[in-house]
Amino acid sequence: MSAARVGIIGAGAAGTSAARLLHTQAPEIEVELFARTGEKPANRTLVTKGVMSGLLEPDQATLPDTGASLVSDTVRGLDPRTRELRLDSGATRMFDALIIASGSRPRLLDEDILGRDEALHSGRLTTLHSMADGARVRDRLASRPASRVLLLGGGILASEAASLLTDAGHDVALIARSLVPGANAIGAHAARRVLDLHHPQHAAYLGVNPRAIRTHPDRISITLDRSGTKVDGDLAIVAHGTLPAAPAPWTGPDGIPVDSRLRSMHAPRQRIYAAGGVAVHHYPGHSSYRIDHWDDSVAQGAHAAKTLLHDLGLDDDPGIYLPSSPFSARVHGHTLVGAGYPALGSSTQIVSADPLLTAHYLGDTLVALTGIDATGLVRDWIPRLHRRAPTRP
Ligand SMILES: Cc1cc2nc3c(=O)[nH]c(=O)nc-3n(C[C@H](O)[C@H](O)[C@H](O)COP(=O)(O)OP(=O)(O)OC[C@H]3O[C@@H](n4cnc5c(N)ncnc54)[C@H](O)[C@@H]3O)c2cc1C
């Protein structure tokens, strides 16, 4: 088929990657890349490292042009049967194929936490997801050079933000639900090492949840469950992970389930695909899972675009999508590094103690790697991902 029309919803990691691949490999296809109204395609990883840190203005985090036609008009909904998009402006568009790459949204604190909404409105409680969030944290802390920041969360983003804010001279207290924050995301071995890096730098309240929040004119105060301890700060940042964000009819918290080639399971014959933080995958022998890392989203966007070209009769079958991309974060002068999706694993093996490299297995299949200061080792081991290792102990 020539002159097919393809719509891509979301101009982030996955969407721009898909657009670039289609533009390069099949220039005869008409591709429209939809960004939110008024939003430029941006590199979200620079919200913390660039904008929050004051090194970049949001405009400087703009992604390069993909060659596809960029439409700044939020997609309000789509009809999966007819592949018709409804746009914020009131316009509609029809497509031969669609890639949904609308990413994720930040998980908020539970709404039954007393004082949550007042704190959010005051600006003393914020998420850290959008460029606006990064600028809000930067601006609020700019007027108080040695602020007390309460960081709620224990994942990679929370660790990196705690480290960056400490480097900037702020006093960061960590508040996490788990006793070993991040263990679910990166495995217990790497998470314990990250905690060892945090301990000399931060007060840490672990194994606790916020029970109530009070916003004062000059500070925010969070009461923790269990002990009833009150922790005060100038600003509180919630980094409790993400939920998938899709246009209607998939606006709920469940994301878009995809098959092994990233075709939407909701509309298997409609040429609708999903990639990146919005896509929910199924690993053989495991339950469903979702990855929200930059390089992996880029890989998914390219994979969905290749499947689309195959379904249009323009390319070979790209095969099964398996997560193998690396990810990393700087934490107090060290590099937390990994590849694949550690939570797929049911057992771990320490490959190297120093630098730490942990292999995560599902049965005897290597599904992920995590480590500290082990970038080279991770790179060497990536080719073994998703292969069975019959000789492992
Ligand atoms: C602060 C922060 C720092 C991070 N740092 C790292 C890091 O260092 N390394 C790493 O690997 N990962 C990092 N991540 C995660 C990484 O940024 C995401 O996994 C990645 O951006 C996901 O790619 P995506 O394409 O699925 O979503 P996004 O890149 O978020 O792109 C989705 C785009 O779709 C748009 N959109 C949503 N709905 C619609 C709609 N209805 N119509 C039109 N457009 C829409 C969104 O506004 C957004 O621009 C970080 C995340 C955050 C929040």
Side-chain angles (χ1 to χ4, degrees):
M1 186 192 294
S2 62
R5 281 166 313 146
V6 174
I8 301 176
I9 305 173
T16 55
S17 166
R20 200 170 300 113
L21 186 131
L22 292 174
H23 183 71
T24 311
Q25 294 200 4
E28 71 276 20
I29 289 182
E30 285 175 37
V31 181
E32 280 191 311
L33 176 60
F34 291 90
R36 278 189 192 280
T37 309
E39 198 178 73
K40 289 184 180 159
N43 183 335
R44 196 174 292 289
T45 70
L46 296 175
V47 165
T48 34
K49 291 179 262 292
V51 176
M52 183 189 81
S53 304
L55 298 173
L56 299 176
E57 288 300 323
D59 270 0
Q60 293 174 295
T62 303
L63 290 167
D65 183 20
T66 63
S69 159
L70 181 68
V71 183
S72 177
D73 202 347
T74 306
V75 176
R76 287 290 165 213
L78 65 110
D79 181 336
R81 205 174 33 86
T82 59
R83 290 184 293 255
E84 183 183 66
L85 299 186
R86 291 190 312 281
L87 307 181
D88 204 29
S89 61
T92 58
R93 294 277 221 290
M94 300 280 290
F95 290 97
D96 299 305
L98 280 173
I99 298 177
I100 304 175
S102 43
S104 59
R105 57 196 156 94
R107 196 190 292 271
L108 290 173
L109 290 178
D110 290 345
E111 59 188 355
D112 57 1
I113 295 175
L114 286 174
R116 181 198 74 161
D117 291 347
E118 189 191 346
L120 282 169
H121 288 139
S122 75
R124 285 201 186 270
L125 175 67
T126 179
T127 51
L128 191 51
H129 191 82
S130 62
M131 291 295 156
D133 291 339
R136 185 178 308 117
V137 173
R138 175 197 65 193
D139 294 346
R140 207 162 249 276
L141 299 182
S143 55
R144 287 194 56 140
S147 295
R148 183 97 201 280
V149 182
L150 312 181
L151 236 165
L152 295 98
I156 299 174
L157 174 61
S159 284
E160 185 189 58
S163 175
L164 286 165
L165 291 168
T166 305
D167 288 350
H170 303 297
D171 171 21
V172 179
L174 299 177
I175 300 173
R177 294 175 288 199
S178 166
L179 289 172
V180 185
N184 288 342
I186 56 172
H189 298 290
R192 272 194 218 105
R193 291 281 183 98
V194 171
L195 191 54
D196 289 344
L197 298 175
H198 283 314
H199 265 319
Q201 309 280 347
H202 310 293
Y205 303 86
L206 305 179
V208 293
N209 284 297
R211 192 176 67 201
I213 304 176
R214 282 200 67 180
T215 310
H216 305 276
D218 61 340
R219 69 189 197 285
I220 182 167
S221 177
I222 298 186
T223 306
L224 305 175
D225 64 0
R226 295 175 194 266
S227 60
T229 305
K230 277 200 181 71
V231 194
D232 282 355
D234 298 293
L235 176 71
I237 299 173
V238 189
H240 277 178
T242 62
L243 293 167
W250 299 310
T251 48
D254 299 331
I256 300 185
V258 290
D259 72 8
S260 63
R261 267 77 173 166
L262 308 190
R263 298 181 188 102
S264 160
M265 307 270 275
H266 290 306
R269 283 182 294 279
Q270 307 299 323
R271 294 199 197 104
I272 296 180
Y273 310 80
V278 73
V280 177
H281 309 261
H282 188 84
Y283 197 86
H286 191 275
S287 57
S288 52
Y289 71 101
R290 192 174 69 88
I291 306 189
D292 209 349
H293 289 157
W294 183 267
D295 285 355
D296 189 78
S297 295
V298 169
Q300 287 189 43
H303 203 96
K306 285 184 195 158
T307 301
L308 186 158
L309 290 178
H310 169 65
D311 292 348
L312 292 176
L314 297 173
D315 203 354
D316 296 336
D317 179 356
I320 293 175
Y321 172 78
L322 292 167
S324 306
S325 299
F327 56 87
S328 66
R330 289 289 288 170
V331 182
H332 300 304
H334 295 267
T335 304
L336 163 63
V337 62
Y341 189 59
L344 286 174
S346 51
S347 66
T348 55
Q349 183 193 345
I350 295 182
V351 176
S352 160
D354 189 15
L356 177 70
L357 178 68
T358 309
H360 300 253
Y361 289 92
L362 178 61
D364 53 10
T365 302
L366 179 67
V367 290
L369 301 155
T370 51
I372 306 289
D373 298 329
T375 306
L377 279 176
V378 167
R379 200 177 43 233
D380 293 347
W381 273 68
I382 282 178
R384 304 185 203 189
L385 283 171
H386 309 296
R387 298 217 185 131
R388 298 181 70 185
T391 55
R392 72 176 282 253

